[in-house]
Every structure is written in C-alpha cells, then in structure tokens.
Amino acid sequence: MKRQSVMLLALLAAAIMLASGAFAADKKTNKKKDPDEIGNREVGKGVNFYSLEKEIGLGKQLAQEVERQAKVVDDPIIAEYVNRVGQNLVRNSDAKVPFTIKVLDSEEVNAFALPGGFFFVNTGLVLKAETEAELAGVMAHEIAHVAARHGTKQATRGELVNIASIPLIFMGGWTGYAIRQGAGLAIPMGFLTFSRSFEREADDLGLQYLYKSGYDPTAFVDFFEKIESLEKKKPGSLAKVFSTHPMTDDRIKAAQNQIQKTLVAKPEYVVTTSEFNDVKGRLAMLHNRRKVDTDDPSRPRLRRAPGSGNGPVDVDEDGKKPKTDSDERPTLKRREGQ
C-alpha cells in the first residue's frame, strides 16, 4: 500500500511538472503573440553560431558590398523620410541592434535587411506602394527578420548541414563567400532566403510591429494581394518582386487570420501621410528626368543638317537615314601621276 502511495505521488508530481511546463510554454507562446509584450521577449533565441557583435560586423561588411554595387539615393528629403518611417518601426520592434536604413536607386520592387540591422529599400518599392502603411508593412516584415536573427540562424543551419565548413565561421569565411558570389548583389542567399517557418514568423512579428507603430495592419495584406494579382494578370512581369521570400496564398490567409484574432481593432490607424505623397512625387520626378520615353512619336527631336557636325543623326520624316558627315565630307583626290 505504501509503495502504491509513493508511485501515485510520483505520478502526481510528474503530472504537475508536465502541466507547469505546458503552461510555461503556452505563456511563452502567448507572450510572443501579444503586441504589448514587444521588447520584453527574446524572439532571436535559438541555435546560432554568431554573437550579436559578430552579426553586426558581418552585416556591415555585406552592406559595404551592396553600396559598391548599387547607387544609394542621396536626396536628403527622400533618405530622411524613409529612414524616419523605418526607425519608428524599429522602436516598436524586438530588435536588439541599431538600424542603418538607406534607399537604393533601383526600379525593382524590393527591400532587404542584412544581419545586424543594415536595411536597404528600393525606390521601386516606394513608387509601387499606394500608402505609407503599405510601405511600412514591407519594412516591418524585413525588420522582423533582423529582430528574430533569421539571417545568421539560417546560415548556422547551413553550416550544421555541412560540418566541414564550420571553421569558416571562426575565420571570417562568410564574408569571403559573400564577395565571391556571381551575378546580382554579392550576398550569400542563406542570409536572404528563409525557410517557411522563418517567413511565417516574420509575417507574425512584422504585423505586430506595424500595428504597434499605429499603422493599419491590413495594409500589409493589401500590398501583397495587389502584387499577387498583378503577377497573375501579367505572369513574369513581377517575377523578381520579393523573389527571396515570395508571398504565398497560405501566408496571406494566415496574416488575415492573425489580424482578426490577435490584433485588437483600434479606433483609428495611420494609413498614409502627405509626406509619403510628396516623397513619392519627388521620386517619380527623379525617375522621369533620368528616363525619357523614346517610344513617343510626338516628342521633339533634334535634327542637324548633314555635314554640320558630329554625333548621332535621327531618321528623316520618310524614315530614311540622312547622309552622314562621312558621306558629305569633301575628299582630296590625287591626280594620276602626282
């Protein structure tokens, strides 16, 4: 009888421990879904060969490579605005590193954040977004990848698979690997291409950061639905849009579900601002100055008379190419016997 009592007590103790463990896990999960707990939870925990300091150093080196290959927009109004929108999101995130945010002069609709908080936003993204909330939604998703340390976690997973290359990590080999990449930006895909679970986590966290910053969280879903719709209408036209982490139907549905179930509706949200419209207009002007539509038949053309100078010659009104200088240029001919 005494033995049975001891066994019952042991089973009861085990049950209590399991229940308390489950409760703690459930509490941790709920904390991760609660926007009010942002900043008080460790979303970046997990197996990672990189310290935060090393992650920042790596991100800085990769960012320098990006800036060598791409043109950074130096317009102070555009740069300051995009940085301010981003820093507001960072303040309302779980990120443990400072962020450096720059705008790249690229028509591709994209944005990407490197490990350690080095964040690049393409001008094409700003022009494609219809509201500030849409722009902020994409930026919040990228900030979430950095806050959760997905880049170095993903790299760590790759290293664990290929045990032989682990010494590279302790000898700065990742940077060399980054520089040796071929076409496009020289960044290891392990830092930008994430698993489905990482993408889902970035969606969840990004929506919370967007919401916490005062924006309408539905803008996040609206933007990706718009991109998906455009791609369906004209396949291939937006093939590069977020090619490193495409938005799938199930992720859109999961985001909609999260908004409905975990983000308590606020009486008002920020949707857009006059500053966003001003910056978008400024960017459109910069792009138009740089890019002239050569397909417009009514545009003014500069013609020159043959023989009047060097340089390209336009076709005439009959569609024929006028004679060039070489056709009209006088030549000195020698007489026979001279």
Side-chain angles (χ1 to χ4, degrees), residues 170-181:
F170 305 104
M171 296 169 64
W174 268 110
T175 306
Y177 175 61
I179 295 169
R180 288 195 300 271
Q181 293 301 298

Side-chain angles (χ1 to χ4, degrees), residues 109-110 124-125 128-129 134 138 220-235 237-243 245-247 252:
V109 183
N110 209 354
L125 173 63
K128 180 61 68 176
E134 286 187 357
V138 178
F220 176 84
V221 179
D222 290 344
F223 183 77
F224 283 104
E225 283 185 325
K226 183 201 306 176
I227 292 296
E228 189 182 47
S229 174
L230 286 169
E231 179 62 22
K232 284 178 180 177
K233 287 179 183 176
K234 197 175 179 182
S237 61
L238 294 168
K240 291 185 178 179
V241 174
F242 307 112
S243 57
H245 39 270
M247 195 68 174
I252 289 174

Side-chain angles (χ1 to χ4, degrees), residues 120-197:
F120 296 93
V121 179
N122 287 4
T123 54
L125 173 63
V126 182
L127 290 170
K128 180 61 68 176
E130 290 184 4
T131 65
E132 183 174 295
E134 286 187 357
L135 171 64
V138 178
M139 294 178 75
H141 176 91
E142 293 303 315
I143 289 165
H145 278 307
V146 176
R149 305 188 67 196
H150 287 160
T152 48
K153 280 183 183 176
Q154 190 93 338
T156 297
R157 287 183 178 184
E159 291 295 334
L160 285 172
V161 172
N162 186 8
I163 300 296
S165 62
I166 285 180
L168 284 174
I169 294 172
F170 305 104
M171 296 169 64
W174 268 110
T175 306
Y177 175 61
I179 295 169
R180 288 195 300 271
Q181 293 301 298
L185 293 176
I187 302 167
M189 291 308 288
F191 292 123
L192 295 177
T193 308
F194 304 113
S195 66
R196 287 185 180 182
S197 62

Side-chain angles (χ1 to χ4, degrees), residues 35 38-41 43 82-102 113-114 116-121 136-148 205-206 208-215:
I38 288 173
N40 300 318
R41 52 198 187 174
V43 301
V82 174
N83 180 63
R84 182 155 33 90
V85 170
Q87 297 297 350
N88 182 41
L89 291 163
V90 171
R91 280 193 297 273
N92 290 286
S93 77
D94 296 289
K96 303 294 184 188
V97 294
F99 269 68
T100 301
I101 304 171
K102 295 186 179 182
L114 298 170
F118 297 87
F119 189 6
F120 296 93
V121 179
V138 178
M139 294 178 75
H141 176 91
E142 293 303 315
I143 289 165
H145 278 307
V146 176
L205 295 173
Q208 291 177 35
Y209 302 162
L210 189 66
Y211 172 85
K212 182 82 170 177
S213 300
Y215 291 105

